Amino acid sequence: MAQVNDLSRSLTAFDPISTLVVVVEMSKASWLVSGVVPGVERQPLKKLEPDATALLRLIERWRNEAVRAGRPISRIALAYEAGRDGFWLARWLIARGIEAHVIHSASVAVSRERKRAKTDRLDAAMLMRVFLGWLRGERGHCGMVAIPTMEEEDARRPSRERASLVDERSRITNRMKSALARLGIRGFKPHLRKAPERLAGLRTAEGTGLPANIIEEFRRDMARLALVREQISSIEKTRAERLERAPDTGPHAMVRLLARVIGIGIETADMLVREILSRKLRDRRAVARYAGLTGSPDESGLKRREKGLAKAGNARVRRGLIQLAWRFLMFQKDSALAQWYRTRTEGPSGARKTTMIVALARKLLIALWRLVTTGEVPDGVELRPAA
């Protein structure tokens, strides 16, 4: 039976006589709009400024052309490729009665010629071909991206901003440590709050103090570190306040349930819920595929090999899950998943731990998805008492 949220093909019957099909090849400077208008032999192509109102006027003009040709339009289907502009245009069009879709960029097959021609006109024609195949209900042409609401998009921002700030903190700290290593100084921790007070006491390998320019640079870097720490703390505080205000509503209930698992903190739980677990995914295979934790086999004739992870999904989820899998082995040693991992990696003939940790991460993701959707607690997993 077809699933109601299957984005690999359209589940609505396609009638080419009464359906106006539009694709938009979007760029920063212009939009190239292509259409298939019932009753009109030519396939119109129009370049517009990046203006949603102008696009709507163009669609209405093409609809009137179809009506004059004796083909009343009962459905308008529009698609564009996911990219820089995100989902605002799809939401804007849906609010005005147009069926809008966002094509997953990686799902469109392109020519493997070494020097293939590439223009906006050719890209628009390719998008039209795959979109028509998708509308006909045929698999393999392209896949669509689920269009989030404004609230769902906004809910992901704190976790992503915090991750960016943590990377910035590491970058500044590593740069300062590298500068100190060039002077023969090791062991100094510039990320500590009292680090600025200890700068004057540092001595190089030659026994002298730090040069004046290095000290000035370090003080500016430490001021940035203090600001980054303050911003990270502000994000975490705001998140905690929101969870306290509405602990049992929507994704907040999922976050609180995940945080009860020993070894999972609020930050990891919030990232998993906002990025993947709150999405309406079809089954466990779709969950693993969205995280990019599925294999990529290479088979041709007698050749059989595995090229590793597909890495086609959400990189934030994939990185976080592999880190969580190592942490899970420390805090949930008696769980069925941890025992499964140990039985396959221990002994002289055991598999490589770094290979099996990916399999554990995939199983752990599916187990957590079942926990937040059905309430099924994984075997042997210990939970903190409910607050």
Side-chain angles (χ1 to χ4, degrees), residues 52-56 87-98:
T53 304
L55 174 62
L56 198 60
F87 303 98
W88 72 268
L89 179 60
R91 289 193 295 261
W92 190 86
L93 291 170
I94 290 172
R96 285 153 180 79
I98 295 177

Side-chain angles (χ1 to χ4, degrees), residues 114-142:
R114 184 169 176 268
K115 291 187 177 181
R116 68 181 181 91
K118 185 185 184 306
T119 64
D120 288 344
R121 183 183 294 268
L122 292 175
D123 288 345
M126 177 184 62
L127 288 180
M128 180 61 76
R129 286 195 300 272
V130 299
F131 187 40
L132 286 172
W134 186 88
L135 288 171
R136 290 192 297 266
E138 302 170 3
R139 294 185 184 274
H141 290 278
C142 66

Side-chain angles (χ1 to χ4, degrees), residues 8-21:
S8 63
R9 62 193 178 99
S10 176
L11 301 179
T12 304
F14 177 56
D15 181 10
I17 297 177
S18 62
T19 304
L20 172 60
V21 183

Side-chain angles (χ1 to χ4, degrees), residues 13-133:
F14 177 56
D15 181 10
I17 297 177
S18 62
T19 304
L20 172 60
V21 183
V22 181
V23 296
V24 185
E25 172 62 23
M26 306 176 73
S27 66
K28 182 179 179 181
S30 63
W31 292 351
L32 186 62
V33 188
S34 176
V36 173
V37 184
V40 178
E41 185 175 353
R42 64 183 177 84
Q43 184 171 320
L45 195 68
K46 180 70 174 178
K47 179 170 284 191
L48 301 176
E49 295 292 327
D51 183 1
T53 304
L55 174 62
L56 198 60
R57 286 198 300 266
L58 178 63
I59 293 173
E60 189 62 31
R61 192 180 82 192
W62 286 348
R63 181 212 286 266
N64 294 335
E65 289 183 14
V67 171
R68 287 195 297 270
R71 302 290 176 84
I73 299 299
S74 61
R75 180 187 181 190
I76 301 176
L78 179 144
Y80 63 92
E81 204 171 8
R84 174 178 175 271
D85 286 87
F87 303 98
W88 72 268
L89 179 60
R91 289 193 295 261
W92 190 86
L93 291 170
I94 290 172
R96 285 153 180 79
I98 295 177
E99 179 186 334
H101 302 277
V102 180
I103 300 174
H104 196 302
S105 304
S107 70
V108 179
V110 297
S111 172
R112 293 185 293 178
E113 292 177 306
R114 184 169 176 268
K115 291 187 177 181
R116 68 181 181 91
K118 185 185 184 306
T119 64
D120 288 344
R121 183 183 294 268
L122 292 175
D123 288 345
M126 177 184 62
L127 288 180
M128 180 61 76
R129 286 195 300 272
V130 299
F131 187 40
L132 286 172

Side-chain angles (χ1 to χ4, degrees), residues 195-212:
E197 304 171 8
R198 299 173 182 171
L199 275 179
L202 292 178
R203 291 293 179 268
T204 66
E206 291 86 359
T208 62
L210 294 180

